[in-house]
Amino acid sequence: MYGIVNKAIEDLVIDNFGTDKWESIKQHSGVDTDFLLSNEPYDDEITFKLAISVSHVMNIPIEDVLITFGEYWILKTGKEKYGGLLNAGGSTLKEFLINLPMFHNRVILIYPKLTPPEFTISDIQTNSLQVHYFSKRQGLQEFVRGLLQGLSKLYHTETKIELLQSRNAGSNHEIFKVIW
């Protein structure tokens, strides 16, 4: 993942719990984040170590850490760093989600070494649709749930997000049903 992801984890912790907690998390993780460059790719292991350390130091289940980080990524990092891209995705949650499969094509222009996930959309109804999430990275299912929750908040749309299918249960990808 790119360094901007790790920087966003740092920002989330500092914004909500302060610098002392971040220092404890860094120490627990064994990761030296002082020299990570936002526009450079880093081993995914660094990001996972940081997330696991947040869970351990804050005594929060890792699933909750990932959901919170997904929301933060949209509402803070996304708005600040990629506001134009988010705005170009659509004027409603439904429009944005329908356009989601094309989103990473634009992000790759900014981060050419990115290995993005793939999203497809199915079963589009008046008040719901299904988001299919494919990725080479394991363990990010709840992060994606957090992203979807963050998008719901960004578009001021109350939603219910149901996990219909998971790689944890043997499937080859996750399917989330988003109902509004």
Side-chain angles (χ1 to χ4, degrees):
M1 290 188 213
Y2 272 80
I4 191 169
V5 174
N6 302 318
K7 177 66 174 132
I9 293 172
E10 176 183 359
D11 292 344
L12 169 65
V13 171
I14 291 172
D15 286 353
N16 290 284
F17 305 105
T19 305
D20 290 344
K21 281 292 183 192
W22 175 245
E23 291 301 321
S24 297
I25 289 163
K26 278 191 345 182
Q27 183 176 7
H28 180 270
S29 73
V31 174
D32 181 5
T33 61
D34 292 337
F35 300 104
L36 292 175
L37 303 173
S38 292
N39 292 331
E40 288 298 317
Y42 292 90
D43 193 307
D44 290 353
E45 184 179 338
I46 292 172
T47 306
F48 287 115
K49 281 181 179 180
L50 290 171
I52 290 166
S53 292
V54 170
S55 173
H56 177 75
V57 170
M58 301 303 298
N59 196 27
I60 301 170
I62 188 66
E63 295 82 8
D64 292 347
V65 170
L66 292 171
I67 289 169
T68 300
F69 182 53
E71 284 190 19
Y72 185 86
W73 182 259
I74 294 296
L75 298 173
K76 178 81 169 153
T77 307
K79 282 175 70 174
E80 287 179 3
K81 306 287 185 187
Y82 311 108
L85 283 175
L86 288 174
N87 292 337
S91 60
T92 66
L93 176 64
K94 183 177 183 178
E95 281 181 22
F96 186 91
L97 292 175
I98 289 170
N99 292 322
L100 183 59
M102 311 248 268
F103 185 78
H104 283 99
N105 292 340
R106 291 176 279 215
V107 174
I108 288 175
L109 298 173
I110 301 168
Y111 300 106
K113 298 175 189 169
L114 180 70
T115 305
E118 180 181 334
F119 292 94
T120 60
I121 307 301
S122 69
D123 299 320
I124 301 170
Q125 304 294 318
T126 303
N127 294 320
S128 69
L129 52 71
Q130 292 182 11
V131 177
H132 298 249
Y133 166 67
F134 300 85
S135 178
K136 73 173 187 85
R137 295 178 173 98
Q138 294 287 335
L140 295 178
Q141 165 183 301
E142 295 308 308
F143 175 68
V144 175
R145 181 187 302 275
L147 293 172
L148 293 170
Q149 289 177 188
L151 286 167
S152 298
K153 290 178 180 180
L154 181 69
Y155 285 98
H156 309 289
T157 305
E158 190 171 325
T159 60
K160 179 179 177 187
I161 300 167
E162 299 175 0
L163 180 64
L164 302 178
Q165 175 179 300
S166 171
R167 286 185 280 176
N168 293 343
S171 298
N172 69 342
H173 70 285
E174 280 74 27
I175 301 175
F176 295 90
K177 183 173 184 175
V178 182
I179 305 164
W180 55 87

